[in-house]
Amino acid sequence: MTFRVAIPVLVVAFSCGGAWCASAGSSATDEGEIGLSSDAKKAAHEWLKKDLSPAALNEDAAQAALKLSQEKLDARELESITDAIKRDPVRAAFAFAECLNPKNCPDPHVRLGAVKGIGYANIKPSLVSKALAAVVIAESDQPTRTAAADLLKARKDPVANKVLVDYYLDAFDSDGVLLKADHERAAIAALRDVGGRQIYEALMAYVTMEVSAGAATEAAPPQTVYITNSGNINTGGGSINLPIELPNLELKGYHGTLVVPALGALKQVTGQNFGRNLDRWQNWIAKQ
């Protein structure tokens, strides 16, 4: 059975093999309300055991995530969960990524704990990176969204950063015309919340194309020539002399299609404003 979180450009797939989603996703305040068995309630519960089926693993991860969401989790319980995560961080991270899907786990406490669980795993599989990016873009629960943004900021995750930038680009057509205003606003908010040099550099690549669309600089002072009936075109001297200034321009670049208004996005995301001075932008980004 497959569940999908689908937003334009970004599709994050989650699979689970049983009906764990409903029990783990209810508005839970304790273990009993998310369907824990009596064995799971014992203090010596072994988290994320290797012999669990995929469905049982997803349920156990949801239960562990609910624990991790607690502000005052018992130190021994926390150590038990983190030790289990470190035994197989890839497997654990994938299980927690399943919990980030609101269709799997409607309870935001479970999703918040799942973000923390991924942080303890401290690995960057592509699916997990994309799932975290989806949270930053589309999560309705602010604490969960903030936790995911903070985690991505700390991870400097290139896959997640690309997802966020691509999501922004998808709000425009190939001529830079805004098609999806809500989409664009969500992307800007996500990019601003995560921030970091990698995102700024990605946007800067599009700023360069934007500014280079017809950009030219003066290579030398303008040259004056004359329309003259008997003189030299460079010095005049005839009875009719009409001076004309010819600029000496060097074409720096040309881009026929303005992909996106990236300069405006860069200003919103960074909070800086260096106008169209690319050198100042690049120098600032290099220091981040």
Side-chain angles (χ1 to χ4, degrees), residues 24 84-85 88 101 106 113 163 185 226 242 250 261 270 274 281:
I85 293 171
D88 194 342
N101 186 343
V163 169
R185 284 193 293 271
Y226 298 86
L242 301 176
E250 179 184 356
T270 63
F274 302 118
W281 276 114

Side-chain angles (χ1 to χ4, degrees), residues 102-121:
K103 292 183 179 179
N104 290 345
C105 298
D107 184 356
H109 296 94
V110 176
R111 302 197 299 275
L112 175 59
V115 172
K116 293 182 178 181
I118 291 172
Y120 285 121

Side-chain angles (χ1 to χ4, degrees), residues 235-255:
T235 59
S239 59
I240 299 175
N241 295 294
L242 301 176
I244 301 174
E245 280 195 351
L246 298 179
N248 288 300
L249 299 179
E250 179 184 356
L251 186 63
K252 291 294 187 182
Y254 177 77
H255 191 271

Side-chain angles (χ1 to χ4, degrees), residues 30-270:
D30 57 49
E31 293 90 335
E33 292 184 25
I34 63 169
L36 287 178
S37 65
S38 58
D39 289 340
K41 297 178 184 178
K42 294 180 181 178
H45 177 72
E46 183 180 349
W47 297 102
L48 310 176
K49 293 190 297 184
K50 289 188 175 182
D51 60 352
L52 292 177
S53 68
L57 174 63
N58 290 338
E59 182 179 0
D60 203 50
Q63 297 161 0
L66 187 64
K67 289 277 189 180
L68 290 174
S69 71
Q70 298 174 12
E71 293 184 3
K72 297 182 179 180
L73 179 61
D74 179 79
R76 287 175 297 179
E77 188 79 274
L78 176 60
E79 183 179 9
S80 176
I81 295 173
T82 55
D83 284 348
I85 293 171
K86 292 173 184 177
R87 280 196 298 270
D88 194 342
V90 175
R91 182 169 173 265
F94 272 77
F96 286 125
E98 297 279 358
C99 300
L100 296 179
N101 186 343
K103 292 183 179 179
N104 290 345
C105 298
D107 184 356
H109 296 94
V110 176
R111 302 197 299 275
L112 175 59
V115 172
K116 293 182 178 181
I118 291 172
Y120 285 121
N122 194 28
I123 56 170
K124 301 177 184 178
S126 177
L127 183 144
V128 175
S129 297
K130 292 177 180 179
L132 287 170
V135 171
V136 178
I137 292 169
E139 174 60 58
S140 59
D141 180 65
Q142 188 59 49
T144 302
R145 185 176 181 276
T146 299
D150 289 345
L151 179 57
L152 288 180
K153 189 181 300 183
R155 284 160 63 101
K156 296 180 171 60
D157 191 321
V159 173
N161 290 344
K162 185 178 186 304
V163 169
L164 297 179
V165 173
D166 286 349
Y167 190 78
Y168 171 73
L169 301 180
D170 190 61
F172 302 85
D173 69 10
S174 60
D175 294 318
V177 176
L178 179 62
L179 299 178
K180 310 165 189 174
D182 291 344
H183 189 144
E184 185 259 356
R185 284 193 293 271
I188 289 293
L191 290 165
R192 183 171 54 242
D193 288 346
V194 175
R197 182 173 174 177
Q198 289 180 337
I199 282 178
Y200 305 153
E201 287 177 340
L203 287 173
M204 190 65 191
Y206 291 95
V207 170
T208 301
M209 287 192 291
E210 177 184 355
V211 173
S212 295
T217 60
E218 188 176 67
Q223 178 185 0
T224 302
V225 298
Y226 298 86
I227 298 176
T228 177
N229 61 349
S230 60
N232 186 302
I233 63 169
N234 292 315
T235 59
S239 59
I240 299 175
N241 295 294
L242 301 176
I244 301 174
E245 280 195 351
L246 298 179
N248 288 300
L249 299 179
E250 179 184 356
L251 186 63
K252 291 294 187 182
Y254 177 77
H255 191 271
T257 301
L258 179 59
V259 180
V260 289
L263 186 58
L266 193 62
K267 292 176 184 177
Q268 293 182 73
V269 170
T270 63

